[in-house]
Amino acid sequence: MDTLHPYTALTPDLMLDAVESSGLRCDGRMLALNSYENRVYQVGMEDGPPLIAKFYRPGRWQDAQILEEHAFACQLQDAEIPVVAPLAFAGQTLLQWQGFRFALFPRRGGRAPELEDEATLEWLGRFLGRIHAIGRSQAYQTRPALTVQTFGHDALRIIESGGHLPAHLAARFSQVAQAVIGMAEAAFATLPALTMLRTHGDCHAGNVMWTPDGPHFVDLDDSRMAPAIQDIWMLLSGEREQQSAQLAAILAGYEEFCDLDYRELRLIEPLRSLRLLHYCAWLSARWADPAFPAAFPWFGSEHYWLERINELEQQLEAMQQPPLWSMPA
C-alpha cells in the first residue's frame, strides 16, 4: 500500500528532460491523459508527431515485469497485430530518469468501438484470437497471474485493512465477499486443466481504439497470465440474451485464429465478481495518491459500500445461473 505520494517529484520540467534524455527534442507542449495508476502525457515533438510518455508508478512493477509486457507487445506488433508497442532507444524500451522509469509510445488515435454492432464484435474477436494464439506460445515468468488468490483473497485483505469500509458495514461486506470468493474457487476447481496464457488483462472498450482501418489495442499495463475468457467477457454487456449474442459474434471471429475451451464460459461471472473486489482494493491501496481522492470522492461513503454489497449479492445469484452458451457457427 502506498504511504507517500509517489509522484511528488514528477514535475513538468523533469518529464520533458526525461523524454529528451532519449535523444528527442520536445517542443514544450504537454497534455495529461486519463490515467491514474501511472502518469501518461502526450508530448509535442520538434521533429515529428507527438509521442505518448508513460511514467510508471514507483514500486508497482519490477523492471523485469515491465520488460515482459513490452516484449509481448513488440511480439504482437511484429506479427502485424494492431497493438501499440513501446519505442526502443538504443535497443531499450524501458528508460530511466531521476529515479523514474518511463516508456515512449507512438500516438494512435481513434474512437470507442460500437459494441452493439455484430461486425465490430466479430472483428474484435479476430484480433483477440490472434493475440491469444501468440499469448499461449510462451508464459510470463515474472508477472503475476489472475487467480482467486490475487484478485479475491488478497483483494479482500487490502479492503479490510484499508480503513475505508464503514465499520457498521464491514461484517456484511466481508461475509458476502467471502461467499463470492468461495464460489469463484469452486468454479475454478471444476477446470483442473485450465490453460493460462498471456492476455491483455484489461480488455474493456476504453482500451480499444477504432479507426477506419479497424481496431487497435492499447495499454497492456495489466497484462498477466489468465484464462482466455478474461479478455472476452469484458466486452459483454446487457441482459443474458444480449450477452449471448455478443459472445457468439466475438467467437465467430476469435475461432478463426484460436480455439476457446468452452468450459471457460462458466468463469465469466466468477471473473466479473473478482474484478469487483480487485477494483475496490485498487482504490484502497492507492488512496495516498492525491489523484485518487480528487477523482473518486465517493469512495468510503456508506452509499458506495452499500452498492458494492448489492453488486456482490447479485453476483452470488449470477454465479448460480447456467453459463452463457454460444456454440461455434
Side-chain angles (χ1 to χ4, degrees):
M1 182 178 296
D2 294 335
T3 56
L4 296 173
H5 176 23
Y7 292 111
T8 301
L10 190 62
T11 63
D13 285 344
L14 187 148
M15 289 187 284
L16 291 173
D17 288 344
V19 174
E20 292 197 336
S21 72
S22 68
L24 301 173
R25 294 293 300 276
C26 304
D27 65 10
R29 294 176 297 166
M30 294 183 64
L31 175 65
L33 302 181
N34 187 27
S35 177
Y36 297 104
E37 184 63 16
N38 304 295
R39 295 295 187 265
V40 183
Y41 293 83
Q42 178 178 297
V43 182
M45 297 287 111
E46 285 193 357
D47 301 311
L51 296 178
I52 304 302
K54 175 179 179 179
F55 291 84
Y56 290 92
R57 176 175 292 272
R60 187 197 180 202
W61 293 125
Q62 301 170 8
D63 288 0
Q65 293 170 325
I66 297 174
L67 289 171
E68 277 197 320
E69 175 227 319
H70 286 186
F72 183 35
C74 292
Q75 186 181 10
L76 295 172
Q77 182 175 260
D78 290 344
E80 299 184 347
I81 298 173
V83 169
V84 180
L87 301 172
F89 297 86
Q92 301 297 315
T93 56
L94 182 60
L95 311 175
Q96 302 203 28
W97 183 257
Q98 299 295 314
F100 286 96
R101 297 168 300 170
F102 70 100
L104 298 175
F105 298 81
R107 181 172 68 91
R108 297 284 187 267
R111 56 174 175 80
E114 297 178 3
L115 297 182
E116 302 81 12
D117 180 66
E118 182 177 328
T120 295
L121 291 170
E122 188 171 336
W123 201 336
L124 288 172
R126 286 196 293 273
F127 281 130
L128 279 177
R130 294 177 63 195
I131 289 172
H132 287 180
I134 291 176
R136 65 175 52 183
S137 66
Q138 63 189 80
Y140 281 138
Q141 300 301 313
T142 63
R143 293 180 76 84
L146 195 169
T147 65
V148 179
Q149 179 65 46
T150 56
F151 271 46
H153 293 292
D154 293 349
L156 181 56
R157 186 177 63 253
I158 292 171
I159 293 166
E160 291 177 332
S161 63
H164 305 288
L165 181 58
H168 66 287
L169 295 176
R172 183 180 170 191
F173 179 88
S174 295
Q175 182 180 27
V176 69
Q178 288 168 359
V180 162
I181 292 169
M183 290 193 70
E185 285 180 324
F188 273 84
T190 65
L191 281 74
L194 176 65
T195 298
M196 303 283 277
L197 63 148
R198 292 175 297 172
T199 61
H200 183 287
D202 194 25
C203 193
H204 57 77
N207 281 333
V208 181
M209 297 286 102
W210 198 273
T211 71
D213 296 324
H216 55 268
F217 293 82
V218 300
D219 192 9
L220 271 69
D221 197 63
D222 286 304
S223 179
R224 62 187 68 219
M225 300 295 291
I229 199 68
Q230 169 64 16
D231 279 348
I232 296 173
W233 77 260
M234 294 187 68
L235 297 174
L236 308 178
S237 62
E239 301 298 326
R240 284 179 59 87
E241 184 177 346
Q242 294 172 292
Q243 292 190 46
S244 293
Q246 294 162 1
L247 181 62
I250 292 171
L251 293 182
Y254 184 92
E255 295 201 313
E256 292 182 24
F257 296 95
C258 192
D259 292 331
L260 179 72
D261 180 351
Y262 273 67
R263 299 177 306 157
E264 290 187 24
L265 297 181
R266 70 188 68 167
L267 297 181
I268 289 177
E269 295 305 333
L271 286 168
R272 197 192 309 271
S273 303
L274 293 174
R275 182 174 173 83
L276 290 172
L277 290 173
H278 179 71
Y279 182 75
C280 293
W282 174 65
L283 292 177
S284 182
R286 296 293 184 251
W287 205 246
D289 183 338
F292 281 74
F296 310 100
W298 30 257
F299 183 68
S301 68
E302 179 180 18
H303 178 70
Y304 174 81
W305 290 102
L306 284 171
E307 284 190 329
R308 302 292 78 75
I309 290 170
N310 182 57
E311 282 182 337
L312 292 173
E313 289 174 341
Q314 291 176 356
Q315 284 304 115
L316 285 175
E317 296 180 7
M319 284 190 283
Q320 296 179 57
Q321 297 296 315
L324 292 175
W325 184 251
S326 177
M327 289 297 293

